[in-house]
Amino acid sequence: MRQQGANLLVAESVLSRPDVIEEITALDARYNGGGDAQAIALSFFKVAQGVKKLDDASAPRLLAHAVLINYRAKGYSNFTHSYVYEAILPPPGRTLGRPLDFPRTLVLPLQEFNCTVLDRTFGVQGVLYCQQNDTLHVCAHSCLRMAIGSSQHSTGKISSNRINRLLGIREQVGSLDSGQIAEIIDACGLKAAVRTKLQPDEYLSELAALIDSGYMALLGFTTKQEKGRPIMGHVVTAFGHSRNANQWHAQAMQTYSGPRSSPYLPSSSWIDNFIIHDDNLGPYLSLSARSFMRNPVMRLNCVIGLLPESAISSNHAELIAAGVLSHLLPLVREDSTNYWIRYLTEQRDVPILRSVLMTKAEYMEHLKCAKAHDRTRMDAFALSKLDSLDGSFWMVEFSLPPLYTGNGSKLGEVLVSAREGVAGGGGKVLAVRLPGSVLSLVGDDILELDSCKLASHSAIYEKAMVGGLR
């Protein structure tokens, strides 16, 4: 043990831990046995001043916990493998008591992990981090372990050895493809939302929507080309982003997302960095949202979300919402006296769309708490018109650049069914809330217009994220 001020570092061997035994045994088997290993747990505590032993500590607080494995194959004098088997690390702002150095940062709700240190159990919140050993597992294994182990919707951790058993892998593996990654996610009781063959801005929009909805995601990309062919795929785990309202490029772009008949800007245009774990380079790194547009060697090839149930893509939902708004607003304007309805149909600003996957309970609670700029709120009658909502859906918020960047506010939402397939109703418009109006579904295809008292712009939805990081 070593003390530094009011911090205490505890180091102990964990070679007898069952999951560590499984990891080392599987690695040793790849080298035909006969190797030896070390497994050391490093636990960092905040303790009272002057405390020198964990036993003497008064209400010690576990700050972070990491397990390192050193393995030496038979016949080698030095360790052939040395890596972080797992680490529970809170975001820097959480430990240091100050926010991350970004304009506005969102990080997913943290998972609570129980860590045993000297036969005592301590809890610590964070996002699981681990590294590959390039023999038993590669980056995709590590990212699966990080994402599944940190997901609020999974039943627990998964080992790299179990991943290999599920996939039938018995030899050293170079990479996993998106289908194999999805197979593991599904086997853990989650649903893999696999998005491929998209443009870079569409990948980033999908990733932003998953994070805004509170879900872990994997981001896959190529890192090198030989003879014109992309090779050496890499995967990172994404769980947060920073939004910068002052970014110039978002409004200066010459082209917009969406069909020409109903153009729009995705809210991801204002995201400047994603918060990721990279098993090669380290935890809590910022990945520039523009890096893939500047560097032709690094090309995005997939985004995979870890969802509780399958869902259509957020890009699909936004295309539907953009079309609905362009068709609906001129019709509603004919009988509406609402200032913002008139403004939306007369102004030249391209609307901003932002998708959040949510349930009826979450949406209704959001509306009940909403307070518009003119202090109007939703009324009981308007809320009752949304009682028929069922299942999960994409809430596609719509706003205008001055409102979104200046106030973080929106003018309403288009609710699009998230269920996949024609039978599941995927892409069906369930309701639309406009300033001063609500359109709710009557029967299968008819939207009925009613007035509501929430008549102006109100705050965008933000899931309960990590406190103190904004």
Side-chain angles (χ1 to χ4, degrees):
M1 297 185 184
R2 180 169 59 86
Q3 183 190 17
Q4 186 176 359
N7 297 325
L8 188 69
L9 169 60
V10 177
E12 62 177 320
S13 173
V14 288
L15 268 174
S16 60
R17 219 171 83 173
D19 59 326
V20 172
I21 292 174
E22 179 189 28
E23 171 81 5
I24 293 173
T25 300
L27 179 57
D28 194 44
R30 292 290 172 90
Y31 287 90
N32 299 316
D36 64 289
Q38 296 176 344
I40 303 170
L42 301 176
S43 304
F44 300 84
F45 287 90
K46 174 68 72 174
V47 296
Q49 190 70 33
V51 171
K52 297 181 179 180
K53 292 184 178 180
L54 189 62
D55 292 341
D56 301 334
S58 175
R61 180 166 66 93
L62 181 61
L63 300 177
H65 180 79
V67 175
L68 309 179
I69 288 180
N70 297 314
Y71 171 78
R72 179 170 39 242
K74 184 179 180 180
Y76 287 83
S77 57
N78 298 321
F79 288 117
T80 52
H81 298 74
S82 183
Y83 58 100
V84 177
Y85 167 67
E86 72 170 22
I88 313 300
L89 305 170
R94 190 69 165 236
T95 303
L96 301 177
R98 57 179 173 79
L100 292 175
D101 190 20
F102 293 114
R104 187 174 177 84
T105 306
L106 297 177
V107 176
L108 295 184
L110 300 179
Q111 184 70 283
E112 179 79 26
F113 294 91
N114 290 324
C115 303
T116 301
V117 183
L118 299 180
D119 297 323
R120 295 177 61 182
T121 300
F122 299 88
V124 62
Q125 289 186 327
V127 179
L128 177 67
Y129 176 75
C130 60
Q131 292 182 321
Q132 61 174 299
N133 59 28
D134 200 30
T135 300
L136 183 68
H137 40 78
V138 293
C139 63
H141 290 75
S142 297
C143 287
L144 280 166
R145 287 186 59 208
M146 289 188 273
I148 292 170
S150 301
S151 172
Q152 298 286 316
H153 303 279
S154 70
T155 56
K157 299 177 185 177
I158 185 171
S159 69
S160 294
N161 201 33
R162 185 186 171 207
I163 292 173
N164 287 335
R165 289 199 305 269
L166 288 170
L167 296 177
I169 295 173
R170 294 178 176 82
E171 304 294 333
Q172 182 170 349
V173 61
S175 64
L176 302 182
D177 60 34
S178 59
Q180 290 173 308
I181 292 173
E183 184 178 340
I184 297 302
I185 294 172
D186 292 345
C188 292
L190 301 168
K191 291 295 182 182
V194 182
R195 317 300 188 206
T196 58
K197 300 180 180 179
L198 302 176
Q199 295 300 314
D201 59 333
E202 293 175 322
Y203 279 118
L204 299 180
S205 185
E206 288 286 346
L207 183 58
L210 289 166
I211 292 170
D212 281 333
S213 303
Y215 298 114
M216 301 290 297
L218 305 184
L219 179 64
F221 53 92
T222 58
T223 56
K224 189 177 290 187
Q225 287 194 7
E226 285 185 1
K227 298 180 180 179
R229 295 180 58 189
I231 61 171
M232 293 183 66
H234 188 51
V235 185
V236 297
T237 303
F239 48 85
H241 63 62
S242 62
R243 188 185 310 132
N244 187 348
N246 299 317
Q247 289 203 91
W248 170 83
H249 76 90
Q251 295 182 69
M253 288 189 304
Q254 297 298 309
T255 57
Y256 300 106
S257 299
R260 292 182 180 181
S261 59
S262 50
Y264 71 91
L265 274 170
S267 64
S268 58
S269 301
W270 280 269
I271 290 176
D272 53 1
N273 288 280
F274 288 96
I275 313 300
I276 66 166
H277 279 350
D278 185 320
D279 77 301
N280 286 329
L281 301 179
Y284 296 109
L285 301 176
S286 61
L287 171 64
S288 170
R290 310 302 146 210
S291 60
F292 297 101
M293 298 179 183
R294 291 195 297 263
N295 190 338
V297 174
M298 296 179 66
R299 295 185 179 181
L300 297 173
N301 57 41
C302 72
V303 169
I304 304 177
L306 285 75
L307 304 180
E309 58 185 30
S310 59
I312 64 171
S313 73
S314 64
N315 279 304
H316 185 184
E318 288 178 3
L319 289 174
I320 293 170
V324 167
L325 290 172
S326 65
H327 174 73
L328 188 60
L329 286 170
L331 298 178
V332 175
R333 183 185 186 279
E334 296 178 5
D335 299 317
S336 177
T337 59
N338 183 276
Y339 167 82
W340 288 104
I341 293 292
R342 297 197 308 273
Y343 188 84
L344 279 166
T345 55
E346 294 170 0
Q347 56 78 41
R348 295 184 178 180
D349 283 336
V350 174
I352 296 171
L353 300 185
R354 175 176 179 263
S355 297
V356 181
L357 188 61
M358 60 186 351
T359 63
K360 173 186 174 181
E362 291 172 322
Y363 180 61
M364 297 298 278
E365 183 62 25
H366 171 56
L367 289 185
K368 290 175 183 178
C369 295
K371 184 178 181 180
H373 182 69
D374 62 0
R375 300 192 177 185
T376 57
R377 307 187 77 129
M378 284 292 288
D379 53 284
F381 173 75
L383 288 170
S384 71
K385 301 300 293 184
L386 301 169
D387 279 343
S388 61
L389 291 172
D390 187 28
S392 60
F393 48 82
W394 285 107
M395 176 188 69
V396 183
E397 300 176 316
F398 62 92
S399 184
L400 296 171
L403 295 177
Y404 183 77
T405 60
N407 300 331
S409 63
K410 61 177 177 179
L411 288 166
E413 310 91 25
V414 179
L415 307 186
V416 180
S417 172
R419 294 172 179 168
E420 290 188 315
V422 176
K428 184 183 205 177
V429 177
L430 304 176
V432 182
R433 186 185 69 80
L434 302 171
S437 303
V438 171
L439 290 94
S440 54
L441 201 61
V442 177
D444 291 331
D445 301 304
I446 301 173
L447 289 172
E448 182 178 71
L449 179 66
D450 292 284
S451 63
C452 78
K453 293 183 179 179
L454 186 60
S456 183
H457 55 92
S458 58
I460 63 172
Y461 176 85
E462 292 190 273
K463 206 173 184 75
M465 300 291 181
V466 176
L469 293 183
R470 299 185 183 189

